[in-house]
Amino acid sequence: MIKVVVSGFAGRMGNEVLRAIQASNDIELAGGYDPAVGTKTSTVMLDGTAIAPAFRDLGEALESVRPDVVVDFSVPSAVEQNIRTCVGHGIDCVIGTTGLSSDALEALSADIPSGTAVFVAPNFTTGAVLMMAFAQAAAAYFPDAEVIELHHNRKADAPSGTALMTARNIAQAQRRAGVTSGAPGKETELPGAEGARGACIDGVPVHSVRSNGFVASQEVVFGSPGQTLTIRHDSIDRTAYMPGVLLAIRSVAGLSGLVVGLDQLMDLGFGTVEQA
């Protein structure tokens, strides 16, 4: 059995991870960590049943239950320190919390001890991974591309990690193919309407929508003379993320160092653009 501590278990995604682990036959919930839980809470509850010990201090959780893996769905402001605490104890991490910058990931990579792995996925849905891969393939043939991502209005970061990775991979694929966009950029924004062209991520416009009614959706709109191509993925429910999370939990022991992207664990059947 793979022993797991869920960091951020009291949140919406953390709660789904608890359910997925409970439904598996090869993964054991060893404990939960969440500083948001009350000081009197000593157990992780699921549907009114106590299923594991709860902790308000991550170091205490690791020393008490000695998990094989920590799954983190906490908050952007805490995730970097959570990772450092885990690798300091020699424990592998599966990170679903977004908001880590490229510089932070690079710094973390240098501090991961030998024999320990940190797996980071901007998106754990298999459909989103395929959407990003299809976008990379299309980028070489379309000079213009824009990313539109739509999430619930409680999401803590914008743009999403998926949108950032998609934009960077599109830009990399276009550079390799020698494709140059002719689309107007931020220089066309009217005074008082700055931001109309979205955030510029490696030259690719990215637009974030936050509203009730959404879970997570993303579309990539490509254009070339006389044609457009739209690639879209929708997550209807948070259960969509769980097969990817469980795959990462089962795979991380065989990894080393920093590994980014669920595509690294999936046999997509065709080449993907190498991560920068």
Side-chain angles (χ1 to χ4, degrees):
M1 295 287 281
I2 304 170
K3 295 175 61 178
V4 174
V5 162
V6 177
S7 169
F9 76 88
R12 293 177 296 274
M13 281 298 296
N15 201 252
E16 288 295 338
V17 175
L18 296 180
R19 293 181 186 279
I21 290 174
Q22 288 296 97
S24 70
N25 56 16
D26 60 340
I27 304 172
E28 173 189 353
L29 181 67
Y33 158 68
D34 200 315
V37 300
T39 56
K40 295 182 179 180
T41 300
S42 59
T43 55
V44 177
M45 304 293 294
L46 186 64
D47 298 330
T49 301
I51 58 173
F55 301 87
R56 298 184 73 249
D57 180 88
L58 182 56
E60 180 186 354
L62 302 183
E63 292 166 8
S64 177
V65 302
R66 296 302 303 173
D68 301 304
V69 181
V70 169
V71 177
D72 190 283
F73 279 94
S74 57
V75 293
S77 60
V79 62
E80 182 175 353
Q81 184 55 53
N82 289 349
I83 294 172
R84 293 190 180 279
T85 299
C86 292
V87 299
H89 285 75
I91 295 172
D92 296 331
C93 301
V94 171
I95 307 300
T97 307
T98 56
L100 279 170
S101 67
S102 298
D103 290 342
L105 285 174
E106 184 176 347
L108 282 167
S109 180
D111 294 336
I112 300 172
S114 177
T116 304
V118 175
F119 176 80
V120 179
N123 197 309
F124 277 96
T125 57
T126 53
V129 172
L130 290 168
M131 175 266 297
M132 287 189 281
F134 296 156
Q136 290 173 17
Y141 302 95
F142 288 85
D144 300 331
E146 307 211 9
V147 179
I148 305 167
E149 56 98 352
L150 310 94
H151 282 80
H152 55 86
N153 61 6
R154 298 174 304 282
K155 185 169 175 58
D157 56 319
S160 69
T162 302
L164 291 172
M165 177 173 280
T166 302
R168 289 167 179 153
N169 288 348
I170 287 171
Q172 188 182 50
Q174 289 178 330
R175 285 194 295 269
R176 289 187 173 186
V179 174
T180 302
S181 174
K186 297 184 75 64
E187 73 279 358
T188 63
E189 294 174 345
L190 296 174
E194 290 79 7
R197 292 291 292 122
C200 184
I201 307 299
D202 209 357
V204 177
V206 176
H207 311 267
S208 295
V209 176
R210 297 290 178 267
S211 176
N212 277 315
F214 290 108
V215 175
S217 297
Q218 179 171 295
E219 63 182 50
V220 186
V221 181
F222 290 99
S224 70
Q227 64 176 332
T228 63
L229 171 67
T230 299
I231 302 170
R232 179 174 175 121
H233 174 259
D234 297 288
S235 293
I236 308 303
D237 186 87
R238 291 182 178 86
T239 55
Y241 299 94
M242 294 306 108
V245 173
L246 295 180
L247 173 62
I249 292 171
R250 293 171 177 136
S251 303
V252 71
L255 305 177
S256 181
L258 176 68
V259 179
V260 180
L262 193 63
D263 59 298
Q264 303 297 314
L265 308 181
M266 294 172 60
D267 182 8
L268 298 178
F270 57 91
T272 58
V273 175
E274 181 180 335
Q275 301 300 307

